[in-house]
């Protein structure tokens, strides 16, 4: 193969800064680096796939970070891409090891569906989480009793032990909001979620009190979308947009459905949902009015 001018290989510092995201983010970052290397050399995806005895579709999933990596495959790709420096090759192989390590949530593997694992890793690594909820209080701000009521609603025949495991997972997720490098959480919650009684009056009162307390946290912005606004841009359902502290990791839109989820990261798709979130934030009550609104709803229970 003739010599080709190569781009500098991206520093692994960004990858190291996102270790808390576990294997999900490590896979995405490593896949991104491999794709950028391949494209800088003008090597087709089909050629690269053949070098590791894989299909074009598998290589595409690798570059998107949606599958695990084998060290042999990465070593072969690095050879194809002309990466011969032992230190650089080792850096990539170390990234493979990190990408294959289990995240903390693996201990709760019995408590969530496979399609939710990617969200757990992205949520763990995010620097900003923007979310709109129409039916429930967002999971990161739920009390244990409210979470149990929500989970029971969606899993009416699940055993008490399984329900308890799901609640424990949700509470463990919330710990990211209190760590030193906590992400910013920007929530727009529909008035319907605040008035829909789940778990009984006592549970709802405690949940509203928790939201009032959370509204004072420095990393939480809470807005209420009142009924009087009428129709709005996100009429289709809940939306979560996750942003990360490094430029190589694009924003991701998470759309949860009854038995699956969509993860969108194409710029045009993300821009559309960001515009929707911006419009929601503009028509929702400003954050300074959220606590008085919650206090009024609390009085009416």
């Amino acid at each position: 193969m003739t010599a080709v001018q190569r781009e500098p290989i991206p520093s692994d510092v960004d990858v190291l800064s996102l270790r808390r995201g576990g294997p999900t983010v490590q896979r995405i970052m490593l896949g991104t680096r491999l794709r950028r290397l391949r494209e800088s050399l003008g090597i087709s995806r089909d050629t690269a796939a053949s070098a590791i005895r894989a299909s074009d579709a598998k290589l595409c999933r690798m570059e998107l970070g949606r599958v695990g990596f084998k060290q042999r495959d990465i070593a072969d790709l690095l050879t194809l891409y002309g990466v011969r420096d032992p230190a650089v090759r080792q850096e990539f192989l170390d990234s493979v090891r990190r990408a294959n390590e289990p995240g903390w949530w693996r201990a709760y593997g019995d408590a969530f569906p496979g399609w939710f694992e990617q969200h757990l890793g992205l949520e763990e690594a995010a620097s900003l989480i923007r979310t709109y909820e129409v039916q429930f209080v967002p999971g990161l701000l739920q009390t244990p009793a409210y979470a149990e009521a929500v989970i029971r609603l969606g899993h009416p025949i699940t055993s008490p032990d399984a329900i308890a495991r799901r609640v424990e997972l949700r509470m463990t997720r919330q710990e990211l909001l209190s760590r030193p490098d906590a992400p910013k959480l920007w929530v727009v919650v529909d008035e319907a979620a605040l008035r829909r009684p789940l778990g009984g009056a006592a549970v709802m009162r405690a949940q509203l009190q928790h939201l009032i307390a959370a509204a004072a946290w420095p990393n939480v912005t809470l807005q209420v979308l009142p009924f009087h606004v009428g129709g709005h841009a996100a009429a289709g359902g809940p939306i979560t947009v996750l942003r990360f502290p490094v430029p190589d990791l694009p924003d991701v839109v998470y759309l949860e459905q009854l038995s699956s989820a969509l993860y969108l990261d194409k710029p045009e798709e993300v821009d559309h949902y960001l515009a929707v979130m911006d419009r929601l934030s503009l028509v929702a009550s400003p954050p300074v009015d959220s606590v008085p609104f919650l206090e009024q709803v609390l009085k009416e229970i």
Side-chain angles (χ1 to χ4, degrees), residues 79-142:
T79 298
L80 175 66
Y81 300 159
V83 179
R84 295 182 175 81
D85 186 322
V88 175
R89 291 177 68 91
Q90 188 58 50
E91 177 188 318
F92 271 92
L93 296 178
D94 287 344
S95 294
V96 173
R97 176 182 52 77
R98 291 194 298 272
N100 291 332
E101 289 175 350
W104 63 261
W105 49 86
R106 194 62 61 85
Y108 294 93
D110 60 321
F112 62 86
W115 50 262
F116 192 63
E117 181 172 1
Q118 185 175 355
H119 179 67
L120 291 170
L122 295 174
E123 183 179 76
E124 184 78 4
S127 58
L128 171 65
I129 303 170
R130 296 184 66 178
T131 186
Y132 165 70
E133 277 286 354
V134 61
Q135 185 167 209
F136 306 117
V137 169
L140 288 175
L141 295 177
Q142 292 178 5

Side-chain angles (χ1 to χ4, degrees), residues 51-235:
I52 60 171
R53 304 153 296 279
S55 65
D56 180 90
K58 178 181 177 181
L59 187 77
C60 179
R61 291 194 296 272
M62 288 174 63
E63 291 185 344
L64 291 172
R66 293 177 181 171
V67 294
F69 298 92
K70 294 180 180 178
Q71 292 218 353
R72 183 186 70 174
D73 289 344
I74 303 307
D76 289 346
L77 286 176
L78 293 176
T79 298
L80 175 66
Y81 300 159
V83 179
R84 295 182 175 81
D85 186 322
V88 175
R89 291 177 68 91
Q90 188 58 50
E91 177 188 318
F92 271 92
L93 296 178
D94 287 344
S95 294
V96 173
R97 176 182 52 77
R98 291 194 298 272
N100 291 332
E101 289 175 350
W104 63 261
W105 49 86
R106 194 62 61 85
Y108 294 93
D110 60 321
F112 62 86
W115 50 262
F116 192 63
E117 181 172 1
Q118 185 175 355
H119 179 67
L120 291 170
L122 295 174
E123 183 179 76
E124 184 78 4
S127 58
L128 171 65
I129 303 170
R130 296 184 66 178
T131 186
Y132 165 70
E133 277 286 354
V134 61
Q135 185 167 209
F136 306 117
V137 169
L140 288 175
L141 295 177
Q142 292 178 5
T143 64
Y146 182 91
E148 180 179 347
V150 172
I151 292 168
R152 285 189 182 281
L153 188 64
H155 304 84
I157 61 174
T158 301
S159 70
D161 287 346
I163 294 290
R165 288 282 290 165
R166 289 174 179 265
V167 172
E168 184 180 350
L169 170 63
R170 192 160 300 183
M171 296 303 105
T172 303
R173 284 172 56 203
Q174 294 181 7
E175 293 176 4
L176 66 85
L177 292 177
S178 58
R179 67 192 183 196
D181 58 346
K184 294 186 181 298
L185 176 65
W186 186 354
V187 171
V188 177
V189 59
D190 200 282
E191 183 177 349
L194 305 176
R195 296 194 180 278
R196 178 171 287 106
L198 287 175
V203 169
M204 284 305 300
R205 280 196 293 268
Q207 177 61 72
L208 289 168
Q209 290 166 346
H210 181 63
L211 286 177
I212 291 170
W217 298 348
N219 58 320
V220 173
T221 299
L222 178 61
Q223 293 183 264
V224 176
L225 189 66
F227 287 145
H228 68 71
V229 169
H232 53 78

